RNA sequence: GGAGGGGUGGCAGAGCGGACGAUUGCGAUGGUCUUGAAAACCAUUGGCCGGCAACGGCUCGCGGGUUCGAAUCCCGCCCCCUCCGCCA
């Protein structure tokens, strides 16, 4: 099947991005949403093409109806042994006209799709308007950054001192931005995964899944990674598969092409997976430590919900992610992203930023987004109303709950002691054989 | 990797050039009967697009071709299953 990414950029999704009818009826709102994000989309061209296409469609459908009727009649004539040559000739000519119209419609349709797939989701009205991240707004803060009586070390200094992080060997085995975890470092990584999964499944109502980590193009398209972020992803040489940049992709695609029952909603999933990102174009940033790796672990939260409640669900989802940081005693703040910083598919997004002493600032550790029906359209995920009626697109949400590597970094830095050892947060101890600290040797 | 088989409505499973948007069974929904339920019987029952509606179009894995007409014939692609080989 395939949707032809490699052929000619003809992305033929089933349902199309933003609803054309919606764009037709709310053109100015769409225009504002697009420009608020700092993007440009030829909306006028789109509307013009749409008008032309619908005109052709009317004509086409009328001709097809005549064609169908005529062919039926030929069948009847022939069964009765009567002459049908004249009608056959007429239908032949009609058939040619139809083919010509179809070709024309196809061309216009392709151009429409090319424009449509470049239209991002529209920001929610509560999203601050601004061109970049400096317009993000702090929503709340939790915990106090610790005052150190000594000069705190960075997590890479601590990790190397404790012999639990080995950056050089990571590079040797793979390349830069890969790290080898050892001993209690590896254990802490694993402990955090289990701690987070247990918290979300046992206390927050999520169902644990473990999805494929290589996914096909269609999956990448429906969550919005393709076509825009193609350069960010690792692709297989001989198979049309990509390494996932986040569990959002396979988990949201669990229900791609499905029509759910209203009474099944909301559906909450959480998944631990490794994630892979090429980090193209971020060469100078965060070169040291665990912050920006090509491979990292993450526990992800994904929701499929009724459209009416999706913004409440976003608040709940964000709180679920925050709960992780609170239980680990890590100070953080929550920011609502401005229009210019919002990802392509999201309508609203909260970033959770954890305090990192080595940076002297808050650093993103989770991103919680409401995609409204944007991904559901691209992936054709609907639900059937309980009382009957037309099936409608669900709303999808997801958020990190939370990034594991950055959590390790935050724990090392925030829980360090003057001698270079690190206390283990109480909530994590049961997952680390009761261990209370990590010391050298 | 080699050899076969197959993709049809929620499921099972027919159809193999015209009356087929698709026989039939199951399921589902509504009704009759019943104190209630089951059973039995009757009726309805795929999805999508456009339209207030009447109605029209699309849809038998995907794309192309042949034909007045394709679920049915031809070509290409994708996926699934079985057996053998290999393998954590």
């Amino acid at each position: 099947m395939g949707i032809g990414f490699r052929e000619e950029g003809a992305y033929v999704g089933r349902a199309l991005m933003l609803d054309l009818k919606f764009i037709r009826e709310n053109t100015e709102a769409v225009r504002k949403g697009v420009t608020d994000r700092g993007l440009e989309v030829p909306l006028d061209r789109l509307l013009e093409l749409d008008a032309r296409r619908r005109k052709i469609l009317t004509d086409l459908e009328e001709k097809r109806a005549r064609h169908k009727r005529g062919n039926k009649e030929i069948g009847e004539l022939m069964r009765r042994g009567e002459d049908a040559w004249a009608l056959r000739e007429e239908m032949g000519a009609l058939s040619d006209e139809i083919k010509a119209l179809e070709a024309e419609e196809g061309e216009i349709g392709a151009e429409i799709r090319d424009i449509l797939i470049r239209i991002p989701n529209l920001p929610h009205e509560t999203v601050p308007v601004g061109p970049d991240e400096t317009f993000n707004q702090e929503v709340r803060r939790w915990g106090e950054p610790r005052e150190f009586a000594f000069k705190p070390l960075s997590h890479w200094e601590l990790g190397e001192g404790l012999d639990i992080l080995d950056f050089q060997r990571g590079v040797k085995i793979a390349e830069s931005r890969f790290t080898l975890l050892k001993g209690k470092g590896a254990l802490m990584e694993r402990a955090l995964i289990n701690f987070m999964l247990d918290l979300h499944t046992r206390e927050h109502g999520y169902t644990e899944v473990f999805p494929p980590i290589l996914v096909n193009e269609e999956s990448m398209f429906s969550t919005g990674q393709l076509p825009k972020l193609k350069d960010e992803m690792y692709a297989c040489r001989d198979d049309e598969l990509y390494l996932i940049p986040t569990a959002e992709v396979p988990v949201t695609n669990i229900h791609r092409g499905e029509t759910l029952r209203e009474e099944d909603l909301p559906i909450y999933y959480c998944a631990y997976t490794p994630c892979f990102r090429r980090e193209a174009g971020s060469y100078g940033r965060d070169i040291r430590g665990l912050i920006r790796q090509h491979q990292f672990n993450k526990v992800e939260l994904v929701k499929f919900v009724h459209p009416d409640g999706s913004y409440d669900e976003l608040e709940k989802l964000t709180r679920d992610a925050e709960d992780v940081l609170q239980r680990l005693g890590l100070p953080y703040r929550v920011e609502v992203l401005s229009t210019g910083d919002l990802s392509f598919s999201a309508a609203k997004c909260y970033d959770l930023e954890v305090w990192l002493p080595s940076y002297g600032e808050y650093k993103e550790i989770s991103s919680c987004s409401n995609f409204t029906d944007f991904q559901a359209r691209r992936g054709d995920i609907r639900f059937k109303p309980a009382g009957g009626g037309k099936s409608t697109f669900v709303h999808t949400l997801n958020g990190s709950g939370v990034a594991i590597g950055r959590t390790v970094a935050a724990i090392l830095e925030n829980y360090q002691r003057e001698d270079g050892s690190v206390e283990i947060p109480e909530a994590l101890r049961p997952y680390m054989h009761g261990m209370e600290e990590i010391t050298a040797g």
Side-chain angles (χ1 to χ4, degrees), chain A residues 171-182:
Chain A
V171 173
K172 174 169 71 178
I173 297 166
E175 61 170 15
S176 73
R177 294 198 194 284
F178 285 89
T179 300
L180 173 68
L181 303 181
K182 298 187 343 201

Side-chain angles (χ1 to χ4, degrees), chain A residues 177-178 189 193 244-247 272-279 290-300 365 400 402-406:
Chain A
R177 294 198 194 284
F178 285 89
E189 183 91 3
I193 292 165
I244 59 170
T246 160
Y272 147 70
T273 68
C275 303
F276 303 88
R277 299 183 185 179
R278 296 190 57 234
E279 297 295 346
L290 295 174
I291 300 307
R292 196 171 296 274
Q293 298 275 291
H294 288 308
Q295 173 190 332
F296 61 96
N297 291 315
K298 186 155 60 75
V299 167
E300 185 77 3
I365 197 166
S400 347
V402 299
I404 305 292
R406 290 187 180 185

Side-chain angles (χ1 to χ4, degrees), chain A residues 20-225:
Chain A
L20 247 177
K21 191 173 167 189
F22 176 85
I23 296 173
R24 211 181 294 142
E25 289 163 3
N26 304 276
T27 311
E28 291 320 307
V30 174
R31 201 187 304 279
K32 181 175 187 317
V34 171
T35 46
D36 280 351
R37 283 171 171 273
L39 298 173
E40 266 183 61
V41 176
L43 279 182
D44 295 320
R45 173 78 177 152
L46 177 67
L47 291 176
E48 181 204 324
L49 289 169
D50 176 46
R52 262 168 61 195
R53 178 165 168 272
R54 281 185 299 138
K55 209 166 183 179
I56 291 171
L57 239 30
T58 313
D59 193 15
L60 188 57
E61 288 190 6
E62 185 272 326
K63 284 196 163 77
R64 284 209 272 234
R66 259 201 292 148
H67 189 237
K68 236 170 142 170
R69 264 185 274 122
N71 288 331
K72 243 177 199 146
E73 212 176 316
I74 290 173
E76 274 165 41
L77 288 175
M78 291 181 71
R79 237 170 289 118
R80 277 187 263 128
E82 291 176 31
D83 174 62
W85 280 108
L87 236 196
R88 279 174 70 157
E89 216 156 288
E90 192 187 328
M91 287 306 112
L94 231 196
S95 174
D96 290 341
E97 285 178 46
I98 289 172
K99 273 175 191 151
L101 278 179
E102 280 174 344
E104 198 179 339
E105 191 275 329
E107 272 175 42
I108 296 176
E111 194 176 342
I112 287 176
R113 260 192 306 278
D114 283 347
I115 297 174
L116 274 180
I117 58 167
R118 283 161 38 212
I119 300 180
N121 201 350
L122 298 187
H124 190 244
E125 60 204 20
T126 56
V127 171
V129 176
D132 55 49
E133 69 275 6
T134 61
F135 288 81
N136 296 349
Q137 284 174 11
E138 183 170 318
V139 176
R140 59 182 166 269
R141 231 174 241 242
W142 185 93
E144 275 297 317
R146 181 177 150 200
E147 295 286 344
F148 287 93
F150 54 93
K151 187 175 180 335
L153 300 176
S154 64
H155 67 274
W156 55 91
E157 293 167 311
L158 288 161
E160 287 183 322
L162 294 168
D163 197 27
I164 58 175
L165 300 180
D166 190 333
F167 297 99
Q168 289 188 1
R169 288 203 175 94
V171 173
K172 174 169 71 178
I173 297 166
E175 61 170 15
S176 73
R177 294 198 194 284
F178 285 89
T179 300
L180 173 68
L181 303 181
K182 298 187 343 201
K184 290 170 186 165
L187 175 61
M188 182 182 283
E189 183 91 3
R190 175 158 61 94
L192 282 167
I193 292 165
N194 287 331
F195 162 69
M196 292 183 202
L197 284 174
D198 280 356
L199 176 63
H200 296 309
T201 55
R202 292 173 21 185
E203 299 190 39
H204 298 153
Y206 292 78
T207 301
E208 183 175 350
V209 291
F210 190 82
I213 287 161
L214 286 169
V215 302
N216 59 32
E217 299 183 315
E218 206 165 340
S219 292
M220 283 295 191
F221 178 76
S222 69
T223 38
Q225 274 72 25

Side-chain angles (χ1 to χ4, degrees), chain A residues 262 384-391:
Chain A
E262 182 171 9
K384 193 108 189 149
K390 269 176 96 102
S391 58

